């Protein structure tokens, strides 16, 4: 598990690419500059790790594109100590970004193979989520609600009601909604039953699937 000067240099270039694409949140950029993304991928993808692209990981899933990770992270407006729920742990890369932003992270993964792999891997790198959970993210995590923010990292055919209900007042849900193509959508909870909704253009994710596997 090496992180060389070459990797660090490539990472800095990636940060510049993200800045040029419009990411401005310094803390998000710093996190991406720090996290050794190449270690979250299979070794055959080492050379690709610092391109702004999604790549396959285990169990037919993908590690999200760095721009997408940065974009979603920015929309969450995380402050240190925020309680954050992530749906779709996958490789754990987004989880690591959330940890570096100072969030107390709860992350749910429905694929057992990935859940096990990432549960072993993240602490080795020093990223300590509050809890990684093997389960179905459609249900959220009622026992830990309410959350300051919730991020969904798979394409949701519809917005799961439990997720809206598990936000604090003022809390933010960032979720890509759609089947083939998803619209990045931000919900801000304004009151018990009031939500403000903002849309941020098209993205592509692997699908949010029901039930755990
Ligand atoms: N944040 C991850 C993205 C992985 S891709 C990363 O950066 O690597 C999306 C992940 O969501 C996959 O691992 C997939 O198994 C998971 N997923 C899909 N449906 C889910 C559900 N209902 N609950 C929890 N995880 C789910």
């Amino acid at each position: 598990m090496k992180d060389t000067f070459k990797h660090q240099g490539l990472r800095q270039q990636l940060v510049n690419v993200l800045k040029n694409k419009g990411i401005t949140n310094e803390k998000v950029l710093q996190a991406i500059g720090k996290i050794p993304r190449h270690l979250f991928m299979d070794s055959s993808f080492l050379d690709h790790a610092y391109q702004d692209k999604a790549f396959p990981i285990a169990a037919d899933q993908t590690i999200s594109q760095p721009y997408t990770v940065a974009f979603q992270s920015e929309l969450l407006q995380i402050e240190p100590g925020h309680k954050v729920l992530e749906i779709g742990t996958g490789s754990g890369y987004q989880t690591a970004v959330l940890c570096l932003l100072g969030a107390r992270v709860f992350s749910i993964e429905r694929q057992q193979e990935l859940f096990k792999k990432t549960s072993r891997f993240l602490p080795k790198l020093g990223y300590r989520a509050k809890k990684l959970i093997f389960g179905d993210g459609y249900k959220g995590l009622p026992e830990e609600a309410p959350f300051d923010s919730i991020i969904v990292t798979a394409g949701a055919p519809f917005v799961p009601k439990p997720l809206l209900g598990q936000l604090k007042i003022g809390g933010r849900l960032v979720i890509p909604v759609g089947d083939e193509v998803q619209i990045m959508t931000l919900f801000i909870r304004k009151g018990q039953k009031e939500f403000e909704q903002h849309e941020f253009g098209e993205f592509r994710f692997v699908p949010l699937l029901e039930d755990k596997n």
Side-chain angles (χ1 to χ4, degrees):
M1 297 223 298
K2 272 198 191 147
D3 189 32
T4 64
F5 282 123
K6 181 182 164 210
H7 292 123
Q8 289 162 29
L10 290 172
R11 218 149 52 228
Q12 209 41 57
Q13 284 174 23
L14 172 62
V15 168
N16 290 334
V17 168
L18 298 183
K19 276 188 192 165
N20 288 336
K21 288 187 177 176
I23 302 297
T24 56
N25 184 311
E26 277 302 325
K27 287 182 181 163
V28 170
L29 291 166
Q30 274 171 19
I32 290 185
K34 267 194 200 150
I35 301 170
R37 186 171 187 257
H38 61 285
L39 300 180
F40 291 75
M41 298 162 62
D42 294 336
S43 56
S44 51
F45 293 118
L46 275 188
D47 286 345
H48 301 290
Y50 296 105
Q51 293 176 17
D52 188 23
K53 287 187 179 157
F55 275 104
I57 53 174
D60 282 337
Q61 301 305 316
T62 55
I63 179 169
S64 297
Q65 181 180 346
Y67 175 74
T68 305
V69 172
F71 193 86
Q72 289 194 280
S73 300
E74 212 166 55
L75 284 180
L76 292 172
Q77 296 192 351
I78 289 173
E79 298 292 339
H82 271 186
K83 195 169 186 183
V84 177
L85 175 64
E86 177 188 27
I87 312 296
T89 317
S91 68
Y93 180 74
Q94 173 75 68
T95 318
V97 172
L98 298 172
C99 288
L100 276 190
L101 293 173
R104 291 179 289 143
V105 186
F106 296 80
S107 183
I108 308 179
E109 173 56 55
R110 69 174 286 284
Q111 260 285 339
Q112 193 160 37
E113 181 189 347
L114 273 173
F115 165 74
K116 284 186 181 161
K117 192 172 167 188
T118 302
S119 300
R120 279 193 299 266
F121 170 73
L122 270 184
K124 276 193 199 155
L125 283 191
Y127 299 112
R128 299 197 186 278
K130 273 277 170 201
K131 201 166 185 198
L132 300 178
I133 300 111
F134 172 53
D136 177 8
Y138 272 96
K139 302 186 179 77
L141 199 60
E143 63 271 31
E144 291 291 347
F147 296 95
D148 292 287
S149 58
I150 302 179
I151 172 174
V152 179
T153 71
F158 58 90
V159 181
K161 282 237 169 66
L163 300 186
L164 289 169
Q166 290 173 26
L167 287 175
K168 285 184 188 172
I169 305 294
R172 301 162 81 87
L173 167 64
V174 174
I175 180 168
V177 187
D179 293 314
E180 296 285 292
V181 173
Q182 295 84 34
I183 305 295
M184 191 63 76
T185 310
L186 165 68
F187 291 89
I188 305 174
R189 188 170 201 173
K190 292 292 182 184
Q192 204 49 33
K193 291 193 170 163
E194 278 167 82
F195 295 88
E196 206 176 273
Q197 183 175 345
H198 304 265
E199 294 183 352
F200 295 90
E202 293 185 355
F203 288 78
R204 275 171 202 274
F205 287 79
V206 293
L208 187 70
L209 300 172
E210 306 237 17
D211 294 330
K212 57 190 178 183
N213 180 345

